[in-house]
Amino acid sequence: MDESVAEYIRRTILKIPREEIKTMLQKWGFLSEAQLQTINFHQIKDNISQEVVQLCEENCANIKQAAVLDVIYNHIYPNKRMWSVYQMRKTGEETEFFDLTDFKKKFKKFLRSALNNVTINFREYEDNAIWIRVAWGTPYTKPNQYKTSYVVYHSQTPYVFVSASMLRSNLPLLCQALIFASNYHDIREMELRSHCLNSLKDIVFKRYSQNFQTYCPRPLQERSVAPETDLRIIQQNRSEKERIQRLNQELFGDGPLPKLEFAQYKLETVFKSDPKMGVLDKKEPFRCLVKFSSPHLLESLRSLAPAGMADAPLSPLLTCIPQKARNYFKIRERKSIVPGSFVSP
Amino acid sequence: MAAAAPSVPRGVSGRGSNTARRGAAPAMESAARTLPGTARLSRGLPFGRLGISHSRLLPPLPRSQEIADPQRTAFLLRKQWTLYSVTPLYRFSDTHLKDYARLLSISIAAEKQKGLAVEVGFELDLDIKVDVSSIPDLKGSDQDHAAILVQLSSRSPASSKNSERKLIWLGCFCCVSGDDLSKNLPKDFTYLPLFLVNGAEKYTSIIGSWFQTTFDCCFHRLAISPFNLSWMAAMWTGCKVDKTASATELVFSVPRLPQPLDISYAIHPEDAKALWDTVQKTPGEITQEEVDVFMDCLYSHFHRHFKIHLSATKLVKVSTAIASAHCDGTIKFLQSKHLMGVMMLLTELAISQIE
């Protein structure tokens, strides 16, 4: 077995949390159950990985087989990578029957004709997701197994989730291979990025609880019967709190929101202020870059108005994130006669 | 609240005046251009550092006060410094710097023996050399005591005696334009209220303890309040910038939500300065109202787009081409031209924390 393969397997095992190693090896299926029984999974990871490598030696593992273990690892821990979303387009409405074998053949053929040094692995999962792992080399060097690209393609949809981590120069090649293999004509990158792959899928496949903008006439307020005079003040607060809650519900829906870590806005709008203040009054844009970050951005935004930090309803620039399926925006001034309005793309 | 507001009016006179109570700080170049050539009389503003600030005058730096040799202060640039305020040192003497270095070495060796400084990766037999030196250029006015620099450099025992040492820790005591208080000090006391540290915490605590016991002084972390951060944002935005200057960035934190939120608000430096220039009414002077108006403008522009009240959040970091400051009391100097001005501001913060 190649020294580099041994090292690759060793390092992959070290990434896996100790309690998970056995299950992952079983999923991998490269080592027999009998072989797995011989491994002591209660020792330190260094030793476990050495034992695994030795067994792989006995079975003469090659790099492609080793790569499958990496795919399994990334499928279970996708949030360690940053994912971008691409949308493919085709002219014409016909929905063709998706032939997996054909797709794989064409994908490999396209990449190999451009670069003969690539390692390509496919793995299909129950939810119609095809995971593709590509390790890139150059005409003169072997593929770098540590800087791999991952593609997750749901064949029933035009969406592709890509985790690049490679030279930008190979990205167009990857995109071309995808549209060639899937019989689409065009591919574009959406302005949507996150570590949480499932949330990206939720947004793009509209799997979260959507808010339906319906007209809700305000229910008649029932007068409270309590006699104390200060109850009036309390009621005021309560109605405001209820209003905020209702608006939040309309905007964000009720259920859990997709998990995004950041949203970025490039503002190119004009600075406006009260003319009496005598401050900046330029027609040129007041250029800003605003970035929101949070472990769970949408939840965080949802809680701003109830916390008193924001007005309700919250700005559509923020609430449109799931519907518009993007978290990178460029905002320009709307060219209209009505001042004080701006465009959200 | 007032006690926490160290930004203070100064009775400072203008260019060339010898009656200046404090050495003029290097100012914002725009102020330099617009300040009249004749000396401005001191406005006789109360100097109470505990008072509510109203304004700050920005006289330009007279030629003689510019750093004679910027190389000597270049070590300050582009490093992250943690800030402390230090109470006056009792019986500190500039003639004994070599002795202090020796005593500090002994102190560090003793700590290593005690095993207190042991941690993973800490080589017990790392050969550490201590240097204590004076930096005559690093001060504001003549009344200031020259800065004192403590350097720790290391060399692994495996390497030869002549191999180069690696700088592992820097500590700088300084005072930039702290005049008034140093005047009132009884003799035997040295006033170096600002302490900057770059390096591992374990050395900071060893060296800090030694100074505390030897000179009977006290170190306190210097936090920078959002109030002072907004002053810094306004002042530094007003400085003339070149084409490649970085943005004026404000970072806000909203911790007490179910999911914490951080907001970074970066404004193109030319646009930020254009806004500030229309806000600042009197050249050479900044008032509290002007800082408030500037910040309110930024807040309302933000609110117009996002409907979020930035004023309800906590300003934790300000970053411009001049410097970047964090509320935890860390700073990074980015330009040598305005270095002394920032040092002067920090000295002032340190002084007000001491009192």
Side-chain angles (χ1 to χ4, degrees), chain A residues 126-336:
Chain A
E126 325 73 47
D127 55 348
N128 278 323
I130 305 165
W131 277 65
I132 313 173
R133 174 189 182 278
V134 183
W136 305 87
T138 70
Y140 313 106
T141 61
K142 286 206 307 190
N144 182 345
Q145 303 296 336
Y146 299 95
K147 277 202 167 20
T148 51
S149 307
Y150 272 89
V151 175
V152 179
Y153 174 41
H154 285 253
S155 53
Q156 308 303 318
T157 77
Y159 295 105
V160 184
F161 304 90
V162 179
S163 170
S165 84
M166 60 172 172
L167 282 175
R168 298 292 294 177
S169 54
N170 281 329
L171 197 52
L173 188 60
L174 181 64
C175 292
Q176 292 297 318
L178 283 166
I179 50 181
F180 175 70
S182 57
N183 292 324
Y184 278 86
H185 289 107
D186 191 2
I187 185 168
R188 70 166 187 114
E189 186 177 357
M190 295 171 69
E191 299 284 354
L192 184 60
R193 259 158 247 148
S194 175
H195 277 99
C196 187
L197 178 61
N198 278 331
S199 289
L200 289 176
K201 291 190 191 184
D202 285 344
I203 290 174
V204 156
F205 300 149
K206 309 251 181 268
R207 299 195 299 212
Y208 59 97
S209 64
Q210 302 224 41
N211 46 298
F212 294 100
Q213 302 272 22
T214 56
Y215 174 64
C216 274
R218 192 186 287 257
L220 281 171
Q221 300 259 338
E222 279 174 9
R223 277 219 134 244
S224 209
V225 207
E228 292 98 318
T229 44
D230 63 348
L231 201 62
R232 218 176 18 199
I233 301 167
I234 300 170
Q235 210 169 9
Q236 193 84 317
N237 258 356
R238 200 177 338 138
S239 67
E240 178 62 17
K241 279 203 168 81
E242 281 167 9
R243 184 188 78 92
I244 292 176
Q245 196 150 0
R246 189 168 35 86
L247 281 167
N248 251 8
Q249 197 172 18
E250 275 173 28
L251 291 167
F252 288 103
D254 265 326
L257 293 165
K259 192 167 179 198
L260 291 172
E261 300 113 35
F262 51 83
Q264 187 174 293
Y265 296 82
K266 193 163 181 205
L267 301 180
E268 287 169 3
T269 49
V270 166
F271 182 81
K272 290 206 171 75
S273 70
D274 187 346
K276 286 202 296 279
M277 282 170 61
V279 295
L280 194 70
D281 183 26
K282 270 181 9 170
K283 293 293 164 271
E284 287 92 58
F286 190 69
R287 294 159 285 180
C288 306
L289 188 68
V290 175
K291 188 166 175 188
F292 295 88
S293 11
S294 166
H296 195 323
L297 180 68
L298 294 175
E299 277 299 339
S300 194
L301 294 176
R302 176 154 61 176
S303 61
L304 279 177
M309 309 269 182
D311 297 342
L314 200 60
S315 161
L317 289 182
L318 295 167
T319 55
C320 74
I321 292 173
Q323 288 98 303
K324 292 217 148 71
R326 61 190 301 171
N327 55 0
Y328 283 78
F329 295 84
K330 205 183 240 192
I331 314 285
R332 279 190 212 95
E333 202 73 53
R334 195 207 304 264
K335 302 211 183 331
S336 67

Side-chain angles (χ1 to χ4, degrees), chain A residues 19-135:
Chain A
E19 328 62 82
E20 305 293 322
I21 296 179
K22 184 163 183 195
T23 349
M24 248 188 251
L25 289 175
Q26 282 167 334
K27 281 203 175 83
W28 187 29
F30 181 72
L31 299 174
S32 69
E33 193 56 44
Q35 284 175 308
L36 288 179
Q37 297 290 355
T38 67
I39 304 175
N40 172 12
F41 289 102
H42 297 292
Q43 51 186 333
I44 59 170
K45 278 207 287 190
D46 264 328
N47 296 349
I48 300 178
S49 64
Q50 294 290 3
E51 289 191 27
V52 171
V53 168
Q54 269 180 308
L55 290 170
C56 291
E57 280 262 11
E58 286 172 19
N59 293 13
C60 300
N62 62 29
I63 192 62
K64 219 168 155 203
Q65 288 159 324
V68 175
L69 185 59
D70 187 45
V71 178
I72 295 171
Y73 172 79
N74 278 285
H75 179 258
I76 299 180
Y77 299 103
N79 299 348
K80 299 229 184 276
R81 302 179 79 104
M82 175 70 99
W83 298 90
S84 317
V85 189
Y86 287 76
Q87 186 179 21
M88 298 192 286
R89 286 187 291 230
K90 65 166 99 195
T91 57
E93 279 307 313
E94 76 282 13
T95 29
E96 293 159 5
F97 172 68
F98 179 75
D99 185 339
L100 181 61
T101 330
D102 189 50
F103 173 82
K104 295 203 280 199
K105 205 159 65 163
K106 283 166 107 174
F107 185 82
K108 281 193 283 209
K109 181 166 142 205
F110 191 95
L111 279 189
R112 292 234 165 88
S113 65
L115 269 181
N116 45 9
N117 275 328
V118 278
T119 313
I120 305 173
N121 287 76
F122 298 90
R123 197 170 169 87
E124 298 86 53
Y125 286 92
E126 325 73 47
D127 55 348
N128 278 323
I130 305 165
W131 277 65
I132 313 173
R133 174 189 182 278
V134 183

Side-chain angles (χ1 to χ4, degrees), chain A residues 269-271 279-280 285-296 300 303-304 309-311 315 317 342, chain B residues 257-264 266-268 270-271 275 278 281 297 301-309 312:
Chain A
T269 49
V270 166
F271 182 81
V279 295
L280 194 70
F286 190 69
R287 294 159 285 180
C288 306
L289 188 68
V290 175
K291 188 166 175 188
F292 295 88
S293 11
S294 166
H296 195 323
S300 194
S303 61
L304 279 177
M309 309 269 182
D311 297 342
S315 161
L317 289 182
F342 45 79
Chain B
L257 298 173
Q259 294 284 347
L261 180 66
D262 285 321
I263 303 174
S264 154
I267 304 125
H268 193 285
E270 286 169 10
D271 297 346
L275 174 63
T278 61
K281 302 294 184 211
C297 284
H301 185 74
F302 191 90
H303 183 267
R304 184 163 87 85
H305 292 77
F306 300 106
K307 298 277 177 274
I308 296 176
H309 301 288

Side-chain angles (χ1 to χ4, degrees), chain B residues 81-117:
Chain B
W81 296 97
T82 306
L83 302 169
Y84 291 81
S85 64
V86 187
T87 56
L89 306 166
Y90 182 60
R91 294 228 170 120
F92 178 90
S93 163
D94 281 313
T95 56
H96 290 126
L97 298 183
K98 286 222 171 356
D99 294 326
Y100 299 152
R102 194 175 39 84
L103 291 168
L104 273 170
S105 295
I106 295 172
S107 206
I108 292 172
E111 289 296 323
K112 278 199 283 187
Q113 292 283 50
K114 270 199 256 182
L116 287 179

